[in-house]
Amino acid sequence: MSEVGKPHDRVDGRLKVTGGAVYAVETPVANVAHAVIVTSGAARGTIQEVDVRAAKAAPGVLAVLTHENAAKLPDANKKGGPIDKTLQLLQDAAILYPDQPIAVVVADTLERAQHAADLVRASFDTKGVALTLDSSGGETYAPKKAGPRGETDSTRGDVAAGMAAAKFKVEQTYTTPVENHNPMELHGTIAAWQGNDHLTVYDATQGIFGVRQRLATIFGLAKENVRVIDKFVGGGFGCKGSAWSHVPLAAMAAKAVNRPVKLVVTRPQMFSLVGHRPVTSQLVRLGCDDKGKLTAIEHKTTSETCRFDEFVEPCGMQTRHLYSCPNVATTHRVVKLDISTPTFTRAPGEATGTYALESAMDELAYAANIDPLELRLRNYAETDEQEKKPFSSKELRKAYQQGAATFGWARRKMAPRSMRDGTLLVGWGLATATYPTHVSPSSALAKVKADGTIQVLAGTQDIGTGTYTIMTQIAADELGVPFDAVKFDLGDTAYPETPVSGGSMTAASTGSAVKLACAKLRTLLDALRKANPGVTDLADLVRKSGQPELVAEHKTELSKDHDKYSMHAHGAVFAEVKVDEELGIIRVSRVVAAYAAGKILNAKTARSQLIGGVVWSLGMALEEETVRDPRTGRVITRDLADYHVPVHADVPDIEIITVEENDPYVNELGAKGIGEIGNTGASAAFANAVFHATGKRVRDLPIRLDKLLPEGRA
Ligand code: MOS
């Protein structure tokens, strides 16, 4: 019997579509009060005065916290790890960025809290702000690392010599804007104290254990005394990867009013309080010989960060291994600006970096007059030439072949503006997708209860990826029982500890722990069966064991294979756009995307993840852009009317192909993780298709209609 791989419906699907799934801030908590954050109008400076008199006198108000009366928290910014952020917890009068929290109003109802929050008045001493990569007040530097995992710079061979030897060259700068995550579910927290030293929190998060650690540190509690619960997450996208200011603010408010407090970040506040994808500017230089063989690749990234935290968008990582080339250099620099903290956003670095690299590869294909697919095949990397390691597996060639065959790539005419559908210009573009295979140690527990039912527990999250379902499949296979016999639960720090659901690593990390915990439980059961011939009923076996229940737990370690092999998923994305030059309309009309991502654990949820990634790429290529007021840095586009994301009418049928790929090294399951790869490469495929349709190369995302207008008309 094999449940793994089957396209099982989500076990939580019915709950979700019938409104039965309880999201963090929907949890019924008795006597809960409501908190609203008041943010600064000023961008940078010092609070002169916060006038809370009217707010305090408003009906239903229980407390108004400001820097003048909030509890002092000496460890407010003691961080537990590289993804923890500097928080603004009303500790002083400093304003570091626009729309920073300056007060928290607590009232008996949400409406009364909102009303009172509107009555808070503040004045500021303001300073000038630096808001763009090229502004004179910015401070450019080389970070120590390009993100938690990557080296800042890399070099192999001699790029200058490689460029000098090249027959064909491309040298272009590509820019990407600020993007905001905008999951459907807002960030929000319910905090409830039990006495002075026990705290329970329902929080919308991708990492309950990270939130627990941060709260324990800030409030000086033993981590065992903090319980974080999150059963359903309405989209993560990276912003929910760590605790932001509103989480401890909810706990501070609850303490101040001696009641549980619910605090929901509003949609406009989502644009300043929970991170964003930073602006990037990427210089890409490519050279190839007359046969299209790459002689040099250079990829220099500059991205923005804030004054008080460092976040690096690591755009150059995949450039180090994606193509065979003797001379490759990558660099990452950041510029400190007067903005809120950028953070991980849907394939951070890979999404933005593949946009630039794969656009440049398309430009090189045109410079050398070689079909873009053929150019990539001529430069196929058989090994990781940067790390000098074999790939643990790499079926990218099959992805190119199967994707191209399904799409009909061979029928493409090379020249721009050469394909039409009536009055519409038709463009076909392709790009390579890639995402690293991350795995972290994780743990899980499996048990047979006295009544014979099977329960499997891991304190992980289901951020919409299908974790509930996949873990159930893995457990059923390992225990040799039907899918329906397993009850899997997650989202509670009372369960075994697991890593953050980021970096597309939950299935691989926690799935492996579930598999091994279930293998241990099966060994226990097999021994009992052997000792008690003829006894098959699970409840009877538990009774025979003399124990109240049969329990097995497993904690995984990272295998040495991660040092020996280079581990990445790959894909090939083929896109068609149709452009109406008269009316100024760009439509994506067809996509075929083929991925080699190791073992696919659930064909249905995997397809959904991969489509989701491609849709976000469509948004990245054509729609998404956070716009700041150039005077103050405040976000202007702070709702889903002004911040454009793809909706149904924007999205055509997207055909997903998963290429068979056996990988014995990545983890117990052979799964590489598919949460983010769909958001790599594809935006370049769309941009390349727009070039093919129109002959116009837009190197500044998003490709808005005005950027396609002939010069002088924009
Ligand atoms: Mo994803 S941006 O690693 O949560």
Side-chain angles (χ1 to χ4, degrees):
M1 163 174 32
S2 179
E3 298 296 340
V4 168
K6 278 190 191 165
H8 270 289
D9 288 348
R10 288 166 191 269
V11 293
D12 51 335
R14 191 178 173 81
L15 277 180
K16 281 189 160 175
V17 297
T18 56
V22 178
Y23 290 79
V25 299
E26 298 176 326
T27 312
V29 173
N31 197 34
V32 73
H34 298 263
V36 170
I37 293 177
V38 181
T39 61
S40 66
R44 181 188 177 207
T46 310
I47 302 170
Q48 268 184 326
E49 194 201 357
V50 191
D51 182 351
V52 300
R53 285 169 297 178
K56 277 174 87 168
V61 170
L62 304 169
V64 182
L65 308 183
T66 70
H67 69 284
E68 287 172 349
N69 65 350
K72 290 295 169 220
L73 300 164
D75 290 331
N77 274 315
K78 191 167 157 194
K79 298 179 188 178
I83 70 171
D84 276 357
K85 300 297 193 285
T86 300
L87 304 182
Q88 291 74 47
L89 304 183
L90 309 174
Q91 297 298 296
D92 55 39
I95 298 296
L96 304 172
Y97 58 92
D99 291 299
Q100 175 191 316
I102 57 165
V104 174
V105 177
V106 194
D108 55 354
T109 71
L110 175 61
E111 293 76 10
R112 285 169 144 184
Q114 286 169 333
H115 172 65
D118 277 348
L119 301 175
V120 174
R121 292 286 172 272
S123 56
F124 308 92
D125 273 333
T126 56
K127 293 181 196 157
V129 286
L131 299 170
T132 55
L133 294 181
D134 58 359
S135 63
S136 58
E139 186 191 321
T140 306
Y141 68 102
K144 285 205 175 68
K145 301 267 275 180
R149 294 179 171 101
E151 299 306 320
T152 304
D153 296 347
S154 74
T155 181
R156 68 175 185 258
D158 182 341
V159 166
M163 285 305 282
K167 174 91 186 286
F168 303 104
K169 293 175 196 177
V170 168
E171 175 168 350
Q172 293 293 350
T173 298
Y174 303 86
T175 60
T176 64
V178 172
E179 293 166 5
N180 280 87
H181 309 78
N182 277 311
M184 285 292 286
E185 182 203 25
L186 301 165
H187 281 251
T189 308
I190 299 174
W193 290 86
Q194 295 81 44
N196 254 334
D197 59 352
H198 280 72
L199 176 62
T200 302
V201 165
Y202 302 89
D203 186 41
T205 180
Q206 291 170 240
I208 53 174
F209 290 93
V211 171
R212 179 180 73 162
Q213 180 62 59
R214 194 74 201 261
L215 287 170
T217 303
I218 290 172
F219 294 102
L221 304 171
K223 68 181 182 191
E224 296 74 24
N225 291 0
V226 180
R227 185 174 176 193
V228 181
I229 298 169
D230 193 15
K231 294 293 181 183
F232 295 94
V233 185
F237 307 144
C239 53
K240 290 181 184 151
S242 57
W244 297 93
S245 299
H246 67 276
V247 182
L249 285 173
M252 290 165 71
K255 196 155 221 181
V257 301
N258 202 23
R259 275 171 72 168
V261 161
K262 180 191 297 200
L263 194 167
V264 182
V265 175
T266 66
R267 183 63 66 182
Q269 290 174 345
M270 293 277 285
F271 288 82
S272 68
L273 296 186
V274 297
H276 61 269
R277 193 200 293 281
V279 161
T280 76
S281 175
Q282 303 173 57
L283 174 71
V284 182
R285 297 168 75 210
L286 301 178
C288 70
D289 66 17
D290 56 351
K291 302 272 185 326
K293 182 74 197 71
L294 285 163
T295 56
I297 303 175
E298 187 172 38
H299 191 165
K300 298 166 93 164
T301 301
T302 307
S303 62
E304 65 178 18
T305 189
C306 61
R307 298 268 185 204
F308 50 90
D309 258 333
E310 180 179 279
F311 179 80
V312 184
E313 180 86 359
C315 300
M317 295 303 153
Q318 69 289 321
T319 304
R320 298 172 185 175
H321 66 80
L322 201 50
Y323 295 108
S324 174
C325 179
N327 308 303
V328 178
T330 65
T331 64
H332 296 86
R333 298 293 177 267
V334 277
V335 184
K336 281 184 190 277
L337 299 173
D338 299 302
I339 57 173
S340 58
T341 309
T343 194
F344 308 93
T345 308
R346 299 185 285 268
E350 295 84 9
T352 39
T354 53
Y355 158 64
L357 178 65
E358 290 299 293
S359 293
M361 282 295 280
D362 201 64
E363 300 210 46
L364 189 66
Y366 278 90
N369 196 28
I370 296 172
D371 173 84
L373 176 55
E374 179 58 29
L375 180 70
R376 286 164 174 84
L377 290 170
R378 285 187 199 174
N379 292 287
Y380 195 85
E382 300 292 351
T383 61
D384 183 330
E385 296 178 10
Q386 185 66 35
E387 299 287 323
K388 298 189 174 61
K389 288 176 190 173
F391 290 111
S392 58
S393 64
K394 182 181 175 183
E395 299 292 359
L396 173 58
R397 195 175 267 112
K398 278 193 212 153
Y400 286 133
Q401 286 161 351
Q402 292 180 25
T406 304
F407 188 83
W409 183 260
R411 298 197 308 275
R412 181 180 185 269
K413 295 184 189 133
M414 182 78 180
R417 304 182 69 89
S418 62
M419 293 172 65
R420 280 175 192 267
D421 172 9
T423 58
L424 303 177
L425 292 165
V426 175
W428 287 5
L430 86 85
T432 310
T434 184
Y435 192 82
T437 300
H438 298 308
V439 184
S440 290
S442 189
S443 53
L445 180 156
K447 64 174 151 185
V448 183
K449 301 210 277 191
D451 63 3
T453 57
I454 296 168
Q455 194 180 41
V456 179
L457 303 174
T460 184
Q461 301 74 214
D462 189 333
I463 63 171
T465 49
T467 310
Y468 277 109
T469 314
I470 292 161
M471 298 303 162
T472 306
Q473 291 172 270
I474 293 167
D477 272 2
E478 204 58 32
L479 290 166
V481 300
F483 180 80
D484 293 333
V486 176
K487 294 286 167 266
F488 174 78
D489 200 19
L490 53 70
D492 190 333
T493 53
Y495 299 162
E497 187 160 350
T498 69
V500 62
S501 289
S504 304
M505 68 181 173
T506 292
S509 307
T510 302
S512 297
V514 163
K515 182 180 163 88
L516 294 169
C518 289
K520 283 184 179 168
L521 183 62
R522 186 165 187 168
T523 305
L524 284 179
L525 283 168
D526 286 346
L528 279 169
R529 288 190 184 104
K530 205 168 166 196
N532 300 279
V535 181
T536 53
D537 183 76
L538 289 179
D540 291 340
L541 282 172
V542 176
R543 235 185 328 277
K544 293 281 183 199
S545 77
Q547 306 286 325
E549 47 189 23
L550 299 175
V551 183
E553 195 163 355
H554 189 86
K555 189 173 186 335
T556 63
E557 284 164 21
L558 204 55
S559 113
K560 294 268 180 290
D561 289 336
H562 283 259
D563 299 329
K564 285 190 233 159
Y565 296 94
S566 176
M567 299 181 178
H568 304 268
H570 292 93
V573 187
F574 299 81
E576 177 185 85
V577 299
K578 293 185 177 174
V579 179
D580 184 324
E581 283 195 304
E582 291 304 312
L583 295 176
I585 297 172
I586 308 169
R587 280 282 180 217
V588 175
S589 43
R590 208 155 59 87
V591 180
V592 175
Y595 297 99
K599 175 81 179 167
I600 297 299
L601 302 175
N602 178 318
K604 186 173 185 177
T605 56
R607 177 173 173 274
S608 160
Q609 283 304 289
L610 293 163
I611 287 176
V614 173
V615 170
W616 279 118
S617 293
L618 193 162
M620 185 173 165
L622 302 176
E623 302 184 35
E624 285 193 69
E625 179 174 26
T626 298
V627 179
R628 294 179 179 136
D629 184 324
R631 297 162 301 180
T632 63
R634 296 186 80 178
V635 172
I636 300 165
T637 50
R638 49 182 169 174
D639 56 41
L640 292 177
D642 288 329
Y643 186 90
H644 295 176
V645 295
V647 296
H648 280 81
D650 299 320
V651 181
D653 276 346
I654 294 173
E655 183 160 353
I656 299 294
I657 298 168
T658 48
V659 173
E660 193 170 325
E661 187 176 69
N662 294 313
D663 195 316
Y665 304 114
V666 278
N667 50 60
E668 291 297 317
L669 299 159
K672 286 186 172 178
I674 48 165
E676 287 163 282
I677 188 172
N679 200 26
T680 73
S683 51
F686 296 125
N688 295 341
V690 169
F691 170 76
H692 185 231
T694 64
K696 181 125 191 173
R697 183 73 67 177
V698 178
R699 301 185 185 91
D700 173 37
L701 292 187
I703 305 174
R704 292 194 317 258
L705 303 174
D706 54 294
K707 297 179 189 174
L708 285 183
L709 289 173
E711 299 302 330
R713 273 180 65 191

